[in-house]
Amino acid sequence: MFELDSITAGYSGSVVLRDVSLWVPPRSVVALLGANGAGKTTLLRVASGLLKPSAGRMRLDGVDVTGKPPHVLARHGVCHVPEGRGVFPHLTVRDNLTIQATGGSAAEAVERAVSAFPILGEKLNQQAGALSGGQQQMLALAHAYVIDPSHVLLDEVSMGLAPVVVDEIFESLAKLAASGCALLLVEQYISRALELADYAYLITRGGIEFAGEPGELDGDQLTAKYLGTPLRS
Amino acid sequence: MTDLLPFLVIGLTTGSVYGLAAMGLVLTYKTSGIFNFAHGAIAALAAYAFYEVKVVRGLPWPVALLVAVVVLPPLVAMLMERVTRALAGATTTMKIVATIGIQLIITGALLAHYGAAGLTFPAFLPADTIELFGVYVGIDQLVSACVAALGALGFFVFFTFSPLGVRMRAVVDDPDLLSLAGTSPFAVRSWAWLIGSHFAAISGVLLAPLIGLDALLLTLLVVQAYGAAAVGLFASLPMTYAGGLLIGVLAALATNVVSGSVVLSGLPPAMPFLVLFAVLLLAGKRRLVDIGATRPTPPQPPLLGPRTARIVALVVIGIGIAVPFLVGAKLPVYANALVFVLIFSSLQLLVRTSGQVSLAHAGLVAVGAATFSHLAVGAGLPWLVAVLLAGAVAVPVGALVAIPAIRLSGLFLALATFGFGLLLENVVYRTGLLFGASGSLPAPRPDGLGGDLPFYYVLLGFAVAGVLLVAAVGRSRLGRLLRAMADSPTSLATLGLGVNVTRVTVFGISAFLAGVAGALYASQGHSATGTPFTSFTSLTWLTVLVLCGAARSAAPLAAAIVFAVLPAYGGGEADGSSGWMPVLFGVGALLVALHESSARRGRSHVSAEWPTGSRAAERIGSPGRAAARERVAHRDVDSAVRVRVGAAGGAR
Ligand SMILES: Nc1ncnc2c1ncn2[C@@H]1O[C@H](COP(=O)(O)OP(=O)(O)OP(=O)(O)O)[C@@H](O)[C@H]1O
Ligand SMILES: [Mg+2]
């Protein structure tokens, strides 16, 4: 269980999140929706410790982890796949995986990553920056397989990828969820995210507007009302 | 060719040590974003530690070596790591000031304790020579070169293949991502500082036998190192080592070429600067990106309202007029201080108004002093004309260094000006262009105003005019442009060329003031010499000005008092650049830099009381399926919320 309680946070001079509470129960998939600039990325950055909240508490399996740095949270099972490409572009794929393993066996890390994304096996000695966008995203996602995280925070991992690659990524997310770790999912493919999700949160301008089961969110209404364009899926 | 071979071998042996030092510098810069101006000072500290243990305490050399290269570096690294951590988010200027502060602390302490005269460094390696490719080489040199080469190679292997090395490269790519992967970037940086400090210490101990134990010379190792680093574009480690070799060889060859010429004898030490300068000129903006660059802080609001400020200014001028009747025989001290008001004003214009750092300021002042003498005595021009022309001559000299560097980040301007100051000092001061071989030129005072008292008032007039000029620049369109640059990074990008022209203009005005100040300094002292205007002086000035930053626009006045008046009442030091004063200034500037960066971080912290935008956002009381849910009425949602084009469209 990962609990964010009344979080207020922001960047130099501007508050982005105001009094946001969000819970990720064990073994569940939580979708976090919201328009551009609503504060989804900011919330995930708070959750993984990259951004210190100015108010509010965070608890991980009952333990207060407010203000803990990211590497400590990571070692406690929080795995954040950040927005953009979560890879070290000038390092080889193998080196990227070694780092993801957090001191664990590099060989085992490679083995796990390759069994999740076989294509990575062919690219081990290539620079990560030279991979295709989809392959980079798989490498970033491999982090969740290389370690055994209790909570995975995913920030638009499908962004800018070809539909087949998106399918592959969503399949792997489903597998990840089935393996028992909890997911906090920020996605632009709203309907696919909601299919996967047990709970959904809608965030608007830094505040939670809706929290509940995906079924209660009417997809068409959601997009029409909150996101401005109809959903075509 | 065979004539050159010995120089080539010597060049490669010293170059190897430069390369090692430079690799340490690049490593710490890449991993932390802090360019360590104190890198050479660390080398000097290690060499002196060796000297202290071996010569002063009389212990055997292995003990000395142990202290210098095993015990000392971790202590230094710990300090550097703490400072780096505290400097997170600081402006480029404050990052530069902080490590310059450390350099001043170390070098100043060494100078104050051991004296400025070079000491003999105890040879600890066998001094026999062996023949290598037909050249006789000292075994000690050979050992130095090999130790450095092995260190460089070993480090390269470590950096490329070891898990920690991989993480060091990762921290360069993306420290946040590294921390998400469970490794603390701070821990990795500590290791980088440890290795960097070791490399500095080792190169200090290896170089000291070659160049003697001279705190200033050893400190300037950082210059060789940054010349080498420039060859590697401040990024590539192997190229950096190669750059070290190149600089070693160029300097040795230059020694051969200029041997016999007193005038050119400064050329070899100036080699690294010439290399750096060439790189700055040739490498594009894209390839020389300052890793640690941040945008400048907008200038702080003035302490006083305009009316009060005007009254205070008048009172200060009144005190200035009254000073000669209050201080008796100390009048020359105050006359000098007035010159320093001008010097610090010109520095203030750069550092505070436009966020640029010049480390060649003493050089520009010296140019003004010498030019004045040439014009007033040599060409027989009237006093005032000579003073103003001396200022005018300093402008193109300043532009020469500013133009290639200014389009790059503030760090590179600082590096270029530092190197340029050294070049002036080592090569040009002794030529006929400036002070000539004797090092001193006559400097007259104006006819009829030559007495100490009337000349004091002449200086007061110049000081007031200078301060007014700087204030006027701050309030002019130029000043507004500078503030806009500090406020908004986008305007900085869109203004494009305008920004560079603005910066060069400000640099030019600043150089003019510095030149005029040089002329006045010479006139006040009846002679023009380069002795008070070393690169070390430039560093001291910068730290004093930063130290007095709290006085805002009165900082030049405060700095002049601290630098030129207080020492006269203290331990009898000539001015603030002698004795233990630089150490104090270094400490002060370091503290100010740390304080300013923490204040900046504080500003970026958001208070919880920030007005909330009265959205009908509801908190969720409990999780799970039974959670309280709130559906927000749609009337509450503005149409302003837009969606990324691909968001819904992509979900075919
Ligand atoms: N590093 C930053 N510094 C200052 N403001 C920021 C920073 N990052 C984000 N913001 C601001 O915070 C707000 C929320 O940004 P955030 O990235 O959390 O949105 P998001 O919901 O992830 O949007 P998107 O769907 O576009 O990714 C925005 O208004 C943005 O301008
Ligand atoms: Mg985002």
PDB file of all heavy atoms in Angstrom, chain A residues 35-42 44 83-84 155-156 159 186, chain B residues 644, ligand 2:
ATOM      1  N   ALA A  35      -5.577  16.321 -17.934  1.00  0.00           N
ATOM      2  CA  ALA A  35      -5.130  17.019 -19.133  1.00  0.00           C
ATOM      3  C   ALA A  35      -3.648  17.360 -19.033  1.00  0.00           C
ATOM      4  O   ALA A  35      -3.027  17.179 -17.991  1.00  0.00           O
ATOM      5  CB  ALA A  35      -5.945  18.304 -19.298  1.00  0.00           C
ATOM      6  N   ASN A  36      -3.091  17.857 -20.100  1.00  0.00           N
ATOM      7  CA  ASN A  36      -1.699  18.315 -20.080  1.00  0.00           C
ATOM      8  C   ASN A  36      -1.533  19.391 -19.028  1.00  0.00           C
ATOM      9  O   ASN A  36      -2.349  20.302 -18.930  1.00  0.00           O
ATOM     10  CB  ASN A  36      -1.305  18.910 -21.430  1.00  0.00           C
ATOM     11  CG  ASN A  36      -1.221  17.858 -22.523  1.00  0.00           C
ATOM     12  OD1 ASN A  36      -1.413  18.155 -23.681  1.00  0.00           O
ATOM     13  ND2 ASN A  36      -0.955  16.634 -22.145  1.00  0.00           N
ATOM     14  N   GLY A  37      -0.484  19.256 -18.271  1.00  0.00           N
ATOM     15  CA  GLY A  37      -0.205  20.289 -17.286  1.00  0.00           C
ATOM     16  C   GLY A  37      -1.030  20.175 -16.018  1.00  0.00           C
ATOM     17  O   GLY A  37      -0.962  21.037 -15.147  1.00  0.00           O
ATOM     18  N   ALA A  38      -1.805  19.102 -15.899  1.00  0.00           N
ATOM     19  CA  ALA A  38      -2.653  18.965 -14.710  1.00  0.00           C
ATOM     20  C   ALA A  38      -1.830  18.673 -13.464  1.00  0.00           C
ATOM     21  O   ALA A  38      -2.232  19.005 -12.354  1.00  0.00           O
ATOM     22  CB  ALA A  38      -3.671  17.858 -14.934  1.00  0.00           C
ATOM     23  N   GLY A  39      -0.684  18.055 -13.660  1.00  0.00           N
ATOM     24  CA  GLY A  39       0.159  17.748 -12.515  1.00  0.00           C
ATOM     25  C   GLY A  39       0.412  16.267 -12.304  1.00  0.00           C
ATOM     26  O   GLY A  39       0.871  15.859 -11.239  1.00  0.00           O
ATOM     27  N   LYS A  40       0.150  15.460 -13.331  1.00  0.00           N
ATOM     28  CA  LYS A  40       0.349  14.014 -13.196  1.00  0.00           C
ATOM     29  C   LYS A  40       1.822  13.677 -12.981  1.00  0.00           C
ATOM     30  O   LYS A  40       2.178  12.952 -12.049  1.00  0.00           O
ATOM     31  CB  LYS A  40      -0.157  13.294 -14.465  1.00  0.00           C
ATOM     32  CG  LYS A  40      -1.578  13.641 -14.845  1.00  0.00           C
ATOM     33  CD  LYS A  40      -2.010  12.935 -16.107  1.00  0.00           C
ATOM     34  CE  LYS A  40      -1.276  13.357 -17.368  1.00  0.00           C
ATOM     35  NZ  LYS A  40      -1.540  14.727 -17.798  1.00  0.00           N
ATOM     36  N   THR A  41       2.652  14.233 -13.846  1.00  0.00           N
ATOM     37  CA  THR A  41       4.089  13.968 -13.718  1.00  0.00           C
ATOM     38  C   THR A  41       4.601  14.465 -12.377  1.00  0.00           C
ATOM     39  O   THR A  41       5.384  13.793 -11.699  1.00  0.00           O
ATOM     40  CB  THR A  41       4.851  14.656 -14.860  1.00  0.00           C
ATOM     41  OG1 THR A  41       4.390  14.115 -16.098  1.00  0.00           O
ATOM     42  CG2 THR A  41       6.341  14.459 -14.736  1.00  0.00           C
ATOM     43  N   THR A  42       4.106  15.630 -11.986  1.00  0.00           N
ATOM     44  CA  THR A  42       4.532  16.196 -10.712  1.00  0.00           C
ATOM     45  C   THR A  42       4.175  15.250  -9.562  1.00  0.00           C
ATOM     46  O   THR A  42       4.979  15.021  -8.651  1.00  0.00           O
ATOM     47  CB  THR A  42       3.872  17.559 -10.508  1.00  0.00           C
ATOM     48  OG1 THR A  42       4.137  18.366 -11.651  1.00  0.00           O
ATOM     49  CG2 THR A  42       4.409  18.252  -9.279  1.00  0.00           C
ATOM     50  N   LEU A  44       3.791  11.990  -9.692  1.00  0.00           N
ATOM     51  CA  LEU A  44       4.673  10.823  -9.707  1.00  0.00           C
ATOM     52  C   LEU A  44       6.068  11.192  -9.191  1.00  0.00           C
ATOM     53  O   LEU A  44       6.714  10.394  -8.510  1.00  0.00           O
ATOM     54  CB  LEU A  44       4.791  10.241 -11.125  1.00  0.00           C
ATOM     55  CG  LEU A  44       3.542   9.623 -11.742  1.00  0.00           C
ATOM     56  CD1 LEU A  44       3.927   8.627 -12.841  1.00  0.00           C
ATOM     57  CD2 LEU A  44       2.695   8.901 -10.705  1.00  0.00           C
ATOM     58  N   GLU A  83       8.742  10.093 -17.311  1.00  0.00           N
ATOM     59  CA  GLU A  83       8.276  10.623 -18.586  1.00  0.00           C
ATOM     60  C   GLU A  83       9.470  10.776 -19.530  1.00  0.00           C
ATOM     61  O   GLU A  83      10.583  10.999 -19.093  1.00  0.00           O
ATOM     62  CB  GLU A  83       7.635  11.995 -18.338  1.00  0.00           C
ATOM     63  CG  GLU A  83       6.796  12.521 -19.463  1.00  0.00           C
ATOM     64  CD  GLU A  83       6.056  13.796 -19.041  1.00  0.00           C
ATOM     65  OE1 GLU A  83       6.573  14.539 -18.191  1.00  0.00           O
ATOM     66  OE2 GLU A  83       4.961  14.033 -19.567  1.00  0.00           O
ATOM     67  N   GLY A  84       9.216  10.667 -20.825  1.00  0.00           N
ATOM     68  CA  GLY A  84      10.336  10.756 -21.768  1.00  0.00           C
ATOM     69  C   GLY A  84      11.048   9.426 -21.805  1.00  0.00           C
ATOM     70  O   GLY A  84      10.462   8.394 -21.491  1.00  0.00           O
ATOM     71  N   ASP A 155       4.966   6.711 -16.236  1.00  0.00           N
ATOM     72  CA  ASP A 155       4.545   8.011 -16.750  1.00  0.00           C
ATOM     73  C   ASP A 155       4.540   7.994 -18.278  1.00  0.00           C
ATOM     74  O   ASP A 155       5.577   8.167 -18.916  1.00  0.00           O
ATOM     75  CB  ASP A 155       5.486   9.101 -16.221  1.00  0.00           C
ATOM     76  CG  ASP A 155       4.851  10.481 -16.320  1.00  0.00           C
ATOM     77  OD1 ASP A 155       3.853  10.623 -17.051  1.00  0.00           O
ATOM     78  OD2 ASP A 155       5.364  11.406 -15.663  1.00  0.00           O
ATOM     79  N   GLU A 156       3.381   7.764 -18.853  1.00  0.00           N
ATOM     80  CA  GLU A 156       3.201   7.802 -20.305  1.00  0.00           C
ATOM     81  C   GLU A 156       4.262   6.991 -21.017  1.00  0.00           C
ATOM     82  O   GLU A 156       4.946   7.478 -21.918  1.00  0.00           O
ATOM     83  CB  GLU A 156       3.219   9.251 -20.804  1.00  0.00           C
ATOM     84  CG  GLU A 156       2.298  10.125 -19.987  1.00  0.00           C
ATOM     85  CD  GLU A 156       1.723  11.296 -20.773  1.00  0.00           C
ATOM     86  OE1 GLU A 156       2.063  11.467 -21.946  1.00  0.00           O
ATOM     87  OE2 GLU A 156       0.893  12.023 -20.190  1.00  0.00           O
ATOM     88  N   MET A 159       4.068   6.850 -24.897  1.00  0.00           N
ATOM     89  CA  MET A 159       4.036   8.093 -25.654  1.00  0.00           C
ATOM     90  C   MET A 159       4.895   8.041 -26.916  1.00  0.00           C
ATOM     91  O   MET A 159       6.057   7.636 -26.893  1.00  0.00           O
ATOM     92  CB  MET A 159       4.537   9.230 -24.772  1.00  0.00           C
ATOM     93  CG  MET A 159       4.387  10.578 -25.381  1.00  0.00           C
ATOM     94  SD  MET A 159       4.685  11.771 -24.076  1.00  0.00           S
ATOM     95  CE  MET A 159       5.663  12.958 -24.914  1.00  0.00           C
ATOM     96  N   VAL A 186       0.047   6.502 -15.533  1.00  0.00           N
ATOM     97  CA  VAL A 186      -0.357   7.721 -16.230  1.00  0.00           C
ATOM     98  C   VAL A 186      -0.299   7.394 -17.703  1.00  0.00           C
ATOM     99  O   VAL A 186       0.735   6.922 -18.188  1.00  0.00           O
ATOM    100  CB  VAL A 186       0.607   8.880 -15.912  1.00  0.00           C
ATOM    101  CG1 VAL A 186       0.290  10.084 -16.783  1.00  0.00           C
ATOM    102  CG2 VAL A 186       0.523   9.256 -14.448  1.00  0.00           C
TER     103      VAL A 186
ATOM    104  N   ARG B 644      -3.403  17.176 -25.323  1.00  0.00           N
ATOM    105  CA  ARG B 644      -2.324  17.016 -26.288  1.00  0.00           C
ATOM    106  C   ARG B 644      -2.912  16.413 -27.567  1.00  0.00           C
ATOM    107  O   ARG B 644      -3.768  15.546 -27.530  1.00  0.00           O
ATOM    108  CB  ARG B 644      -1.278  16.070 -25.691  1.00  0.00           C
ATOM    109  CG  ARG B 644      -0.133  15.786 -26.606  1.00  0.00           C
ATOM    110  CD  ARG B 644       0.764  14.730 -26.017  1.00  0.00           C
ATOM    111  NE  ARG B 644       1.413  15.192 -24.791  1.00  0.00           N
ATOM    112  CZ  ARG B 644       1.363  14.534 -23.657  1.00  0.00           C
ATOM    113  NH1 ARG B 644       0.684  13.431 -23.578  1.00  0.00           N
ATOM    114  NH2 ARG B 644       1.975  14.980 -22.599  1.00  0.00           N
TER     115      ARG B 644
HETATM  116 MG    MG C   2       3.538  14.548 -17.660  1.00  0.00          MG
END
